[in-house]
Amino acid sequence: MLGLMQDWPLTVDKILDHAKHWHGRAEVVTRSVEGPIVRITYAEIHERARRVSNVLLDWDIKIGERVATLAWNTANHIEAWYGIMGIGAVCHTLNPRLFPEQLVYIINHAEDRIIFVDLTFVPLLQAILPHCPTVERVVIMTDAAHMPETSLPGVECYESLLEGASTEVTWGAFDEQTACGLCYTSGTTGNPKGVLYSHRSNFIHTLLGLQATVLGATPNEVILPVVPMFHANAWGIAFGGPAAGSKLVMPGARMDGAAIYELIESEGVTFSAAVPTVWQGLLAHLREHKLKIPTVKRVLIGGSAVPESLIRAFHDEFGIEVLQGWGMTETSPIGTLSNLTPEIASLPYDEQMKWRIKQGTPPLGVELKLKNYAGQEMPHDGHTYGRLMIKGPTIAGAYFKDEGGNILDAEGFFDTGDVSTIDEQGFMQITDRAKDVIKSGGEWISSIEIENIAIGHPKVELAAVIGAAHPKWDERPVLIVKLKPGEGQDKQEHLDFLQGKIAKWWMPDDVVFADDIPLGATGKIDKKLLRERMKDYRLPTAG
């Protein structure tokens, strides 16, 4: 017997409809690419998004066809998202931090017909578009006064198009399993792979994100999503903000510490989300200028493991709660969050840190388990490592165009490629990417754990740990340090800092100082490139 409830397809256009009808006067504030601060309401965004839809329909864009964006976090980008998705086209977010060759591959693989682009990226697009034959038009997201001179073919002015477009359009009216968004992995091994979100998965992810233990957005919240819309759906904030009626503050192209502080201070930001490197930059700016950010209550930090030093700094110096999150493109991206149980929260702060540095527990809608390389399920004892497996309605079941073939195990779980532990309290902790684990004498060493301690040294700006070949132990860890400006190099000082904080056999065999530690397209340390740079390195202990 089936239930007798109404059939109400879960399509994301309903999110913006809801924002218009019930939170229409709530603001979206943008530091525009052209410079000035621009203010707009959800009701106005709704109207402009419908104009975008009509522009695309006039160009004969059909359900399932891909329309790309190459843009910063702005209100215009939000309009484009909903305008594309509302008619059943697929919004393909292009990551400008990828190499040009990767962008060409992605655009061609997706067969994008239209690209919406911010002024910043016009030169980049101009260089690669001759290699992208499926692209018919380029819409530059500015007004007529700021249109650049360009050799791009089929160029259109965003504001001019919207002025001439109707607001009358039918949104939705298609199956909730219809493809909605397309985001490619960063391609650290092989070509990037496309993760194809459905309307249903994005809608469920929005509901998942609105749980109090996740984003917990409300109409009283002022949210600054520094995490870009071109990376894993801006962690769901471009959907969750309108759904809750929260004021959004969009940072545009400037994400340095001074710019982020200015927006927080001027707009009364209460909650923000970004990768650790952004928060390190903000922290440095606050300390240098002896500033406070009293309106901020919580920050969500994800993208890579959060160092204990960063969690403590925001808590001790600014009274800000750090919520650590873990996820990936394939998980839409929310996977786990470091919410404390009442028992843990009642402990002294120093004792809580054991759990605060972990990536946390899954919200309702996400299942986790650990498996070893033989496929056996591993215990949740906080010590036993295993490959992290994940399942749920917001988790990828296949890659676009079936790249990579079957990606699920017999029980329907996806292998994240992360090596993790899960403790008795249910807290998951990433110990490494499977490809980054250091295998020494038959045991595993976590590069992430060493990095998170090493970066706490007051002279360190960035720290990375990789494995180097050793004739006896197979691999041994090497600590690579980028110092803050003006600091002197002393290897022993950094080894001494690790003493007593990690197992003796985990101690790096060497410290290497580098002028630069490369970051990948999503702000994480690019271990693949780092290993390539270090390919001729030989351990002093290797004999």
Side-chain angles (χ1 to χ4, degrees):
M1 179 183 293
L2 299 178
L4 300 175
M5 309 308 288
Q6 295 180 19
D7 185 16
W8 195 77
L10 304 180
T11 55
V12 300
D13 51 280
K14 290 183 171 69
I15 295 173
L16 196 57
D17 283 346
H18 177 83
K20 175 206 171 184
H21 292 305
W22 305 107
H23 307 291
R25 288 178 290 183
E27 278 190 321
V28 176
V29 181
T30 298
R31 186 192 299 280
S32 67
V33 177
E34 294 83 358
I37 299 294
V38 177
R39 298 177 184 276
I40 194 170
T41 65
Y42 282 128
E44 292 169 315
I45 285 176
H46 183 274
E47 178 184 300
R48 287 166 61 84
R50 291 170 75 85
R51 293 180 188 272
V52 171
S53 294
N54 275 316
V55 168
L56 296 174
L57 290 171
D58 286 344
W59 291 340
D60 199 32
I61 296 295
K62 297 181 177 63
I63 289 179
E65 292 189 313
R66 274 73 68 198
V67 176
T69 63
L70 186 59
W72 298 108
N73 285 15
T74 66
N76 284 355
H77 200 177
I78 293 176
E79 295 160 5
W81 265 34
Y82 284 97
I84 295 164
M85 297 174 186
I87 59 171
V90 178
C91 181
H92 174 202
T93 49
L94 295 169
N95 186 340
R97 295 170 180 161
L98 295 175
F99 295 117
E101 298 79 11
Q102 290 177 309
L103 281 172
V104 168
Y105 173 84
I106 287 168
I107 292 168
N108 290 335
H109 189 264
E111 300 174 88
D112 295 324
R113 286 185 57 189
I114 314 292
I115 299 180
F116 287 80
V117 62
D118 268 336
L119 285 167
T120 314
F121 306 121
V122 168
L124 170 60
L125 200 55
Q126 193 168 284
I128 67 175
L129 211 60
H131 308 288
C132 305
T134 65
V135 178
E136 301 164 12
R137 284 185 170 88
V138 173
V139 180
I140 300 179
M141 299 174 75
T142 191
D143 56 22
H146 291 90
M147 280 293 285
E149 292 289 329
T150 176
S151 60
L152 285 169
V155 172
E156 306 278 359
C157 172
Y158 182 74
E159 292 296 339
S160 299
L161 288 171
L162 265 58
E163 285 174 14
S166 169
T167 61
E168 296 299 317
V169 66
T170 299
W171 273 355
F174 42 74
D175 189 279
E176 64 182 20
Q177 294 285 9
T178 299
C180 180
L182 179 61
C183 186
Y184 280 73
T185 63
S186 53
T188 53
T189 55
N191 285 323
K193 295 181 178 64
V195 179
L196 189 62
Y197 308 106
S198 67
H199 279 261
R200 179 178 185 270
S201 73
N202 276 342
F203 201 105
I204 293 174
H205 188 270
T206 303
L207 297 178
L208 185 154
L210 292 177
Q211 294 177 49
T213 54
V214 189
L215 300 179
T218 72
N220 300 314
E221 205 84 77
V222 181
I223 303 176
L224 172 65
V226 185
V227 57
M229 293 173 66
F230 54 72
H231 173 52
N233 297 319
W235 298 352
I237 294 173
F239 296 124
S246 304
K247 174 180 173 180
L248 292 182
V249 181
M250 310 299 279
R254 287 191 58 194
M255 286 174 279
D256 57 281
I260 295 301
Y261 169 75
E262 182 185 353
L263 288 177
I264 289 173
E265 181 68 15
S266 63
E267 300 301 328
V269 169
T270 61
F271 175 75
S272 187
V275 297
T277 49
V278 169
W279 293 118
Q280 294 280 15
L282 176 61
L283 183 61
H285 179 78
L286 294 174
R287 284 170 166 170
E288 181 182 353
H289 298 280
K290 297 180 172 58
L291 300 170
K292 298 292 184 181
I293 43 176
T295 61
V296 179
K297 307 304 179 189
R298 300 176 301 138
V299 295
L300 174 59
I301 307 182
S304 57
V306 184
E308 179 179 336
S309 58
L310 191 60
I311 297 172
R312 286 188 180 276
F314 274 107
H315 175 269
D316 297 348
E317 298 175 40
F318 304 99
I320 294 172
E321 184 81 3
V322 171
L323 181 65
Q324 183 170 184
W326 168 84
M328 54 198 308
T329 305
E330 291 91 338
T331 65
S332 296
I334 294 170
T336 63
L337 295 105
S338 61
N339 289 288
L340 303 186
T341 65
E343 294 80 9
I344 296 171
S346 67
L347 297 172
Y349 192 79
D350 283 351
E351 294 179 36
Q352 296 174 19
M353 195 57 62
K354 174 183 174 181
W355 289 277
R356 287 186 178 276
I357 61 173
K358 297 186 178 186
Q359 283 65 55
T361 58
L364 176 65
V366 175
E367 297 180 35
L368 298 179
K369 68 178 178 181
L370 301 176
K371 278 189 172 183
N372 65 13
Y373 285 92
Q376 299 167 315
E377 195 160 342
M378 307 306 289
H380 295 181
D381 58 13
H383 304 291
T384 306
Y385 297 110
R387 296 179 74 95
L388 182 64
M389 313 294 290
I390 191 166
K391 182 179 182 180
T394 59
I395 314 302
Y399 289 116
F400 184 49
K401 295 185 177 178
D402 202 31
E403 292 286 327
N406 180 32
I407 62 173
L408 304 181
D409 70 6
E411 298 173 278
F413 280 80
F414 172 76
D415 187 341
T416 65
D418 284 321
V419 175
S420 315
T421 60
I422 300 176
D423 66 22
E424 296 89 341
Q425 301 274 1
F427 276 67
M428 184 274 290
Q429 183 170 24
I430 303 292
T431 58
D432 243 320
R433 292 291 291 167
K435 60 182 178 293
D436 293 336
V437 165
I438 299 168
K439 301 177 181 67
S440 182
E443 300 288 345
W444 287 357
I445 296 175
S446 169
S447 65
I448 290 175
E449 191 168 335
I450 302 173
E451 289 164 357
N452 285 346
I453 296 169
I455 202 170
H457 191 289
K459 295 182 180 180
V460 174
E461 182 173 315
L462 277 176
V465 174
I466 62 172
H470 191 282
K472 179 178 179 181
W473 303 112
D474 188 21
E475 287 184 319
R476 290 296 300 156
V478 177
L479 172 61
I480 302 162
V481 170
K482 178 184 179 183
L483 293 167
K484 293 177 180 176
E487 298 293 352
Q489 298 181 3
D490 182 344
K491 293 185 180 185
Q492 194 58 47
E493 180 180 5
H494 298 277
L495 293 173
D496 290 344
F497 186 75
L498 295 174
Q499 287 286 353
K501 300 182 179 78
I502 59 175
K504 288 183 178 180
W505 64 276
W506 279 30
M507 284 296 292
D509 279 24
D510 196 14
V511 178
V512 175
F513 295 98
D515 294 332
D516 177 56
I517 292 178
L519 301 180
T522 57
K524 301 177 185 178
I525 293 170
D526 189 334
K527 295 281 184 80
K528 180 182 177 183
L529 181 54
L530 195 56
R531 282 191 287 264
E532 175 63 24
R533 290 183 181 180
M534 297 278 291
K535 64 182 180 182
D536 295 326
Y537 169 83
R538 294 293 177 268
L539 279 168
T541 57

